Each structure stands twice: as C-alpha cells, then as structure tokens.
C-alpha cells in the first residue's frame, strides 16, 4: 500500500534491505524500554486519560446517557498515536473535537470498500486515472487527498514548532523528531549539507511514513478497545476482579490521583489485565486478514511445501493461527483464563502461535505502543467505572482484512464507581 502517490515507505517497501533501513530509523522509539522510561509518553498518557477521556465518560455517567464507544475509541487511539508522533500541542484531540473526529472518520471509513485497487495495484490505478479511467470513485481520491492534507498540516505545524516559528507546548514530537533527525543524518552522510530545510519531496516522504502510522495505530487499537469493552460489559464478575487488581497500583488510576500515573512497567505487569488484552487480540484480532510476504531469491520451502522460487507472494493470517484447537482449546470462546491457568510450556506454545502483530522483520513496529495505550485505557476505565450493554446488536466482526463490528457501533452505559 502507498500513500501520497507512489511513494514507498516502511509499510509498502517490498525489498528487505530498504525496509530494514527505514525500520531501524524508528525501532528505538517504539521499543518497550523507551516507552516505559519516556517522560513524554507518560505525560501524554496522563493528559489523554485525565483531561479528555475520563471527563467525557464521567459526563455521560452523570447524565445517565449511553456512550457510543466504537467511534470514541477511534478518537482515543488517534489521540495516543498522533501525540506520540507529533506531540500533544499538535495532536488530533479527537476525543474532544467531535466535529473533526466525525469528519476525519467519514473520509477514512468511506474508503474501505474501495481499497483493493489502491492497495494491490497502486501504479496501475494511477496510470488509468491519468488517462481518464477511474478504477475507484473520484470521491475516494478526494477523501485520500483530505487525509493527506490533514497529515501534511500536522507535519508543518511540528516543523514550525521545532524551528521556533510557533510557540511549543506539551510533549516532544517523538516519532516525527526521530524520523526528521534520521533523514537529516542520511542527507549529511551522502554529502555536504547545503541547506537545513527539507525539500518538498523530503517533506512528503516523511508525511507518507507517518500517515501509515496514523492509520495503523488508530484502526487496530480502536477495534481492540471496542471488543475489550464488549466482553467486559458481558462479565460483571470479571470487572470486579480486574478492579481489585487495578487497586494494587500505586498510585491507582482513580481520578482523584490525576496528577500522577502509575509507572508503565507496573501497569504492563498486571497479570489479569494482560490476559484480558491478549485474549481479545487473539479472539477478536483487529487484523485477521492475510499478511503478504515475498519469498527470498533462494528457493525456500514454506510450512512443509516444496522449495518455492524467489519473488512468489505468499501469506499467513492471524485468524487461522489463533484458532488452532491444539494450541487454543475452544478457540471461539473468549477466555482470558487460558493465559493465566497454564504451565510454562503451554504458554510458550500459545505465544508461538500468537500473531496479532505478526512476527519477524515485518512485525508491527508499533506493537509496544499499542499494548501501552490499550492497557492504560482499559485500566483507567475500569478503575473508575463499571460498564453494561445498552445495544450490541452489530458486534459480529466483518469478514475483511481489518475487522471491526458489522454494526459499526457499540452502545454502553458507564456507571461511576462510588
């Protein structure tokens, strides 16, 4: 898949060496050790939880009005990923800016049914478009253009902030800053630096990279949170067990402790919370669809096949791996206990078959950020509220590469814990 025309980035590069080079630019800031020690990541998390999400839920609880959490979760995860990319002063703020959230998601979701040509044959799509043949509706291109323009504006705002052209507030633009510095280093290594400003091509290349981070980070974690809420809302006893575990944090994530968060390491180490997240990723994987790979130049057997020649597209999918009955008994059941009530050998086997984030060199670079935000959000919500279902009539997952609920909504009641 490409963004901003035919420009290739980490997500769309086929060859291993350029992909690895791009991934090395960013892997450090997405590592668990960096995330868990980053003051910026902790402050970003605190602000999003205590200044945006929890007050929004509390307002609905006071009014005794239901909350449509599917769209809100997309807003929440967008705020997390955009603040990590661009800093809090330039993030999306989609939890509070409902009008812009709806507009952006209208662009974003409207493209889904027309993604085949753009994803699989982007160059052919462009060639046909230039001669007046549209393989996808014109409004899809218009929606893509709106999203790209939004992203470019974010990049320009951050660049102005870094250069001192505008006042900076909030947290450091971690990913943008890392990518920016890496590009400048690459430019210096290739010859004398004659200028400090980025060219239009370099700006677009950075924006192309970050646009895919925005989409991937918002989509997958938004769906995951929705299914965590759904499963927890069907199980009040599990909510009580989780709250008991959450109260062991110091400080707790109750709103009275809004000035300080428990450490990322302590939240990550909670066994029941971890089991709930892992089982949701297994049973309700946001990306159950096939993940394409290209065989290496040397003929190589794959999963017991005869040696396959180089350049052959193959794929595997989390949906099938997560439903291996020999590894996950009763695979269609959502049972967090399977990650708790098991011996070391069985847990290792489950982890070998767990593929929510892929594996190997093409594994999701943002997996640690996803676990960070999903765990903190779940912990914060169930430290302060109980949830119950108002309407879950459309929760069956769609048969698609990215699989949200068919009804595209989940109505829940949030009740403040006294």
């Amino acid at each position: 898949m490409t963004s901003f025309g035919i420009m290739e980035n980490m997500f769309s590069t086929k060859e291993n060496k350029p992909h690895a080079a791009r991934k090395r630019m960013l892997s450090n800031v997405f590592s668990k050790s960096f995330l868990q020690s980053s003051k910026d990541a902790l402050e970003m998390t605190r602000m999003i939880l205590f200044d945006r999400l929890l007050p929004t839920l509390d307002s609905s609880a006071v009014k005794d009005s239901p909350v449509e959490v599917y769209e809100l979760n997309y807003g929440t995860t967008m705020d997390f990923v955009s603040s990590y990319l661009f800093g809090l002063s330039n993030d999306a703020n989609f939890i509070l800016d409902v009008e812009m959230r709806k507009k952006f998601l209208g662009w974003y979701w409207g493209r889904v049914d027309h993604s085949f040509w753009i994803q699989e044959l982007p160059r052919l799509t462009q060639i046909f478009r230039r001669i007046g043949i549209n393989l996808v509706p014109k409004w899809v291109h218009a929606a893509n253009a709106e999203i790209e323009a939004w992203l470019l504006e974010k990049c320009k705002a951050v660049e102005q902030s870094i250069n001192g052209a505008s006042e900076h507030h909030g947290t450091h633009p971690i990913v943008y800053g890392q990518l920016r510095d890496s590009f400048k280093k690459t430019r210096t290594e290739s010859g004398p630096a004659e200028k400090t400003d980025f060219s239009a091509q370099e700006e677009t290349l950075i924006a192309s990279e970050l646009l895919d981070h925005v989409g991937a980070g918002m989509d997958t974690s938004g769906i995951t949170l929705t299914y965590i809420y759904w499963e927890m809302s069907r199980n009040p006893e599990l909510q009580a067990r989780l709250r008991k575990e959450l109260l062991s944090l110091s400080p707790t994530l109750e709103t009275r402790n809004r000035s300080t968060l428990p450490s990322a390491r302590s939240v990550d180490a909670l066994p029941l919370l971890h089991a709930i997240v892992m089982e949701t990723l297994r049973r309700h994987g946001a990306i159950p669809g096939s993940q394409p790979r290209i065989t290496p130049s040397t003929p190589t057997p794959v999963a017991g096949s005869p040696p396959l020649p180089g350049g052959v597209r193959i794929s595997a999918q989390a949906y099938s791996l997560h439903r291996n009955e020999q590894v996950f008994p009763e695979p269609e059941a959502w049972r967090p206990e399977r990650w708790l009530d098991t011996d070391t050998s069985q847990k290792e086997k489950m982890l070998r078959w767990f593929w929510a984030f892929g594996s190997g060199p093409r594994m999701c670079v943002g997996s640690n950020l996803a676990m960070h935000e999903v765990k903190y959000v779940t912990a914060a919500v169930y430290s302060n509220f109980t949830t119950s279902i108002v309407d879950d009539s459309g929760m069956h997952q769609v048969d698609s590469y990215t699989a949200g609920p068919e009804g595209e909504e989940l109505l829940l009641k949030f009740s403040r814990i006294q």
Side-chain angles (χ1 to χ4, degrees):
M1 185 178 178
T2 61
S3 56
F4 290 90
I6 62 172
M7 194 165 292
E8 292 192 341
N9 50 43
M10 184 174 65
F11 284 80
S12 60
T13 301
K14 292 181 181 179
E15 299 300 324
N16 287 335
K17 285 186 178 180
H19 173 270
R22 185 62 58 82
K23 194 169 186 178
R24 280 196 298 273
M25 289 183 177
L26 296 171
S27 57
N28 174 59
V29 296
F30 282 111
S31 68
K32 179 181 281 193
S33 59
F34 183 95
L35 266 164
Q36 292 187 342
S37 61
S38 169
K39 293 181 180 179
D40 281 318
L42 201 64
E43 176 61 11
M44 155 193 111
T45 302
R46 188 190 69 81
M47 292 283 288
I48 292 171
L49 293 177
F50 287 115
D51 289 1
R52 301 181 190 179
L53 179 62
L54 294 178
T56 297
L57 298 177
D58 196 49
S59 175
S60 294
V62 168
K63 298 173 185 175
D64 197 27
S65 58
V67 179
E68 199 293 285
V69 296
Y70 183 53
E71 183 187 299
L72 178 62
N73 286 338
Y74 267 71
T76 302
T77 54
M78 173 61 101
D79 283 6
F80 268 94
V81 71
S82 62
S83 61
Y84 201 65
L85 265 57
F86 305 120
L88 273 170
S89 59
N90 292 297
D91 79 329
N93 195 18
F94 278 0
I95 294 175
L96 300 181
D97 191 350
V98 178
E99 181 180 355
M100 188 61 211
R101 180 177 83 209
K102 289 183 178 297
K103 183 184 292 186
F104 185 94
L105 291 176
W107 299 329
Y108 189 82
W109 284 336
R111 303 144 59 247
V112 172
D113 292 337
H114 305 280
S115 61
F116 171 81
W117 293 104
I118 296 172
Q119 288 183 1
E120 300 295 330
L121 297 166
R123 288 177 174 83
L124 181 65
T125 303
Q126 276 211 334
I127 291 169
F128 273 91
R129 188 182 175 195
R130 285 170 185 161
I131 62 175
I133 300 174
N134 288 294
L135 299 177
V136 297
K138 290 182 179 180
W139 62 262
V140 173
H141 296 299
N144 285 330
E146 293 282 7
I147 293 171
E148 291 173 357
W150 178 88
L151 196 286
L152 273 174
E153 283 302 312
K154 293 295 179 187
C155 291
K156 290 176 180 178
V158 177
E159 192 64 28
Q160 289 176 355
S161 178
I162 291 174
N163 292 329
S166 64
E167 194 171 353
H168 173 71
H169 299 285
T171 59
H172 182 69
I174 294 172
V175 179
Y176 182 92
Q178 176 74 10
L179 196 59
R180 177 182 188 270
D181 292 346
S182 296
F183 270 92
K184 287 199 169 185
K185 181 180 179 183
T186 301
R187 181 202 289 171
T188 302
E189 290 173 349
S190 63
E194 297 180 356
K195 57 187 177 63
T196 57
D197 293 338
F198 286 117
S199 67
Q201 183 181 10
E202 288 171 319
E203 289 177 350
T204 307
L205 185 56
I206 291 174
S208 172
E209 187 69 60
L210 297 179
L211 177 55
D212 282 342
H213 287 268
V214 164
M218 175 184 66
D219 236 350
T220 52
S221 296
I223 291 170
T224 300
L225 281 171
T226 299
Y227 281 98
I228 288 175
Y229 290 175
W230 183 52
E231 293 287 6
M232 293 296 288
S233 298
R234 301 198 295 173
N235 197 328
E237 184 272 335
L238 187 59
Q239 292 186 48
R241 284 176 55 200
L242 178 60
R243 176 168 168 76
K244 182 177 180 180
E245 180 179 83
L246 296 173
L247 290 176
S248 70
L249 292 169
S250 181
T252 67
L253 280 160
E254 296 167 295
T255 52
R256 59 188 173 86
N257 299 320
R258 59 178 294 115
S259 61
T260 310
L261 284 182
S263 71
R265 288 183 178 87
S266 64
V267 173
D268 186 52
L270 295 174
L272 180 56
L273 176 63
H274 184 70
I276 288 167
V277 173
M278 290 292 285
E279 183 66 354
T280 304
L281 290 167
R282 183 202 69 82
R283 175 59 183 82
H284 300 294
I287 300 184
S290 294
Q291 303 279 21
R293 302 289 186 267
I294 303 296
T295 57
S297 56
T298 303
T300 306
V302 177
S305 74
L308 299 175
V312 174
R313 176 168 164 167
I314 59 175
S315 64
Q317 54 176 280
Y319 183 92
S320 300
L321 296 174
H322 290 175
R323 282 161 177 76
N324 183 339
E325 294 184 355
Q326 304 304 313
V327 179
F328 304 106
E330 300 180 74
E332 294 299 331
W334 185 81
R335 291 199 298 106
E337 292 77 14
R338 74 172 81 242
W339 298 94
L340 299 170
D341 305 333
T342 187
D343 57 34
T344 302
S345 175
Q346 175 61 16
K347 185 171 289 187
E348 289 176 352
K349 185 187 295 185
M350 290 193 296
L351 288 173
R352 282 198 303 272
W353 284 79
F354 182 78
W355 221 50
F357 300 110
S359 60
R362 299 275 174 164
M363 181 178 176
C364 172
V365 71
S367 60
N368 292 313
L369 178 60
M371 293 295 282
H372 171 96
E373 65 184 284
V374 167
K375 284 187 175 183
Y376 262 111
V377 170
T378 303
V381 167
Y382 287 101
S383 291
N384 293 282
F385 302 95
T386 61
T387 60
S388 55
I389 292 170
V390 175
D391 185 357
D392 65 345
S393 56
M395 288 303 293
H396 185 270
Q397 286 182 274
V398 297
D399 182 7
S400 179
Y401 175 77
T402 304
E406 286 182 343
E408 298 185 347
E409 68 173 15
L410 172 63
L411 283 173
L412 298 180
K413 178 181 178 181
F414 286 76
S415 301
R416 167 65 74 172
I417 296 173
Q418 301 301 323

